[in-house]
Structures are given as C-alpha cells and as structure tokens.
Amino acid sequence: MQRLDIRSIFRLLLSRIRMLLIFAVIFAVLFGAVTYLFVPDTYASGVSVYVSSLASAADKQVASYSSLNSAEWLVLTYAEILQNRVTLQKVLPKLNRHLTEAELAEMVKVQGIEDTAIMRITVTADDPEFAREICDAMAQVSPEVLQSVVGVGSVKVIGKALKGMKTSPRAPRMAVLGALCGMVVAALIVILRYLNDSTIKTESSLKERLGVPVLGTIPSFYQTLKGEKTHA
C-alpha cells in the first residue's frame, strides 16, 4: 500500500483536478435540480411582541433592572404558552384555510430574543399571504391568552406582520453544497485508488519496498518510440 503525506496528497489531487471539477459540476447540478424540483416552496412571516412585568403606567415609571429580568423570564413562559393548544385553538377560527391543530403547530415558532423582553412569533407556510394571516391571528389572540393564563404583566405587539419572504427551496445554496460534496467524493476516490495501487512506479519506491540498491533501469519502450517519432 502506498504512503501519503500532506504534500503528496496535495500534488495527487492537483494532478486529478479535472476529475474533481467534473464531480463538482455533476453533484452541483444534481443537488440543485433535486432541490428545485422536489423541495416545496415555503415562506416565513413574523411579528414581535414586547413583554413587561409591570401592568400599570405607575409601575412603568419605576421600572428597574429587576423588572427587566422578570420580563425576560416571562418571555420564556409566554413563548411556551403561545405554542400551546389553548392558543392554537383560538387562532384556527380566524384563518381562511382549514387547518388541524397539529398542522398549525408545525407552522408556528415562538422564541425569545436573548437578553431582551421581546419574543418573536415566526410562521412558515406554503403561501406568503397565508403566513402573514397566521401571524396576524397570533398577534390578535396573544395578549388575551397571555393575560388570562398568566394574569400579570402586559403584552404589546410591535408593528404588523409583513408578507412572507421565501425561505426555501434555495437551489443555488444547495448547488454550492453539492459541488463541495462532489469534490470531497472525487478526492476520496483518488486517494483510495492511489493507496490501494501496489505497482512500483519509481526507483525510490522500489528501494523503499525491497530495501536493496537499484543496479540499473530499463527505459520505457513506449517512451523510446515516442521520442523517435518526435525526432523524425
């Protein structure tokens, strides 16, 4: 079995650069085509919600660092509540399309923004307008549900949900990933073929393999004929 070091691997791959590029193109086209043809279109819309642990205007005038910490804690609690079946059941009647509770749960994601008193409601759907519609419905029911369940603090929706932006498929990104995968596959094939090649190609490899000095070499018959033709 042949031995390789970093320099040898680099030279070996450089000598097979054409093969690497061919594999890169094939895999890029394959990944891009599969993504474009078989991955459904999805769109994401979102809305932000501000959470305060202080309910009244008088309380807000004396807001402190501790109240902000309380709000951050409430964000985590509220995020779980908004993804609960109680909230989803209130959202479903407001939608123009029939969905099951499980289908809606897969579309909605609620998470807090780190070190803030803000949580983000994100909806992913197969239609940009429907994604915004679900976001608006979530924003409408959120204050009511959170107040009824938790009973403390206040909730305010920041802005309005916009028309969903396309999130997939991303064929160009997958094509780049496919190209990288193709080059890796080609590199592995080249290296494995080289390592499993037991033929002796150079005088130095013969010395290393047998541990004896080389007394003489026989020129390649093919090279000799080639040289004669060139000379003629």
Side-chain angles (χ1 to χ4, degrees), residues 2 8 18 27 62 76 108 120 122 139 142 174 180 195 206:
Q2 303 285 348
S8 300
R18 184 177 179 182
F27 274 67
V62 294
L76 301 177
V108 177
R120 181 74 176 172
T122 305
S142 293
M174 292 304 297
L180 294 176
L195 292 176
L206 179 60

Side-chain angles (χ1 to χ4, degrees), residues 81 117 166:
I81 295 174
K166 190 172 184 178

Side-chain angles (χ1 to χ4, degrees), residues 30-206:
L30 182 63
F31 275 49
V34 170
T35 302
Y36 181 79
L37 295 175
F38 299 105
V39 177
D41 293 345
T42 57
Y43 302 84
S45 180
V47 65
S48 297
V49 178
Y50 172 72
V51 176
S52 174
S53 60
L54 307 173
S56 66
D59 290 337
K60 293 177 183 178
Q61 292 178 357
V62 294
S64 63
Y65 178 74
S66 61
S67 65
L68 179 59
N69 285 340
S70 299
E72 291 179 18
W73 176 83
L74 282 176
V75 165
L76 301 177
T77 305
Y78 286 0
E80 291 297 323
I81 295 174
L82 290 185
Q83 295 177 100
N84 190 275
R85 59 180 300 179
V86 175
T87 306
L88 300 180
Q89 288 173 353
K90 290 182 177 292
V91 172
L92 288 173
K94 298 181 178 293
L95 305 179
N96 293 323
R97 186 191 301 183
H98 174 73
L99 290 177
T100 64
E101 186 180 308
E103 289 173 337
L104 180 59
E106 291 182 357
M107 296 180 180
V108 177
K109 181 179 180 182
V110 184
Q111 58 184 4
I113 300 177
E114 188 176 1
D115 298 328
T116 69
I118 298 175
M119 59 183 175
R120 181 74 176 172
I121 302 174
T122 305
V123 177
T124 303
D126 58 0
D127 179 82
E129 290 295 343
F130 189 54
R132 177 170 63 178
E133 180 184 340
I134 297 175
C135 255
D136 288 336
M138 289 288 297
Q140 290 176 17
V141 304
S142 293
E144 175 188 351
V145 171
L146 294 176
Q147 287 291 335
S148 64
V149 174
V150 182
V152 296
S154 61
V155 179
K156 183 178 181 180
V157 178
I158 304 174
K160 294 184 178 180
L162 301 177
K163 181 179 179 180
M165 297 183 62
K166 190 172 184 178
T167 56
S168 70
R170 297 181 177 180
R173 177 179 296 183
M174 292 304 297
V176 172
L177 178 61
L180 294 176
C181 291
M183 296 188 73
V184 170
V185 170
L188 290 176
I189 293 175
V190 170
I191 293 173
L192 290 176
R193 287 179 60 183
Y194 180 83
L195 292 176
N196 290 318
D197 186 0
S198 59
T199 59
I200 298 175
K201 298 179 175 63
T202 63
E203 181 179 332
S204 59
S205 62
L206 179 60

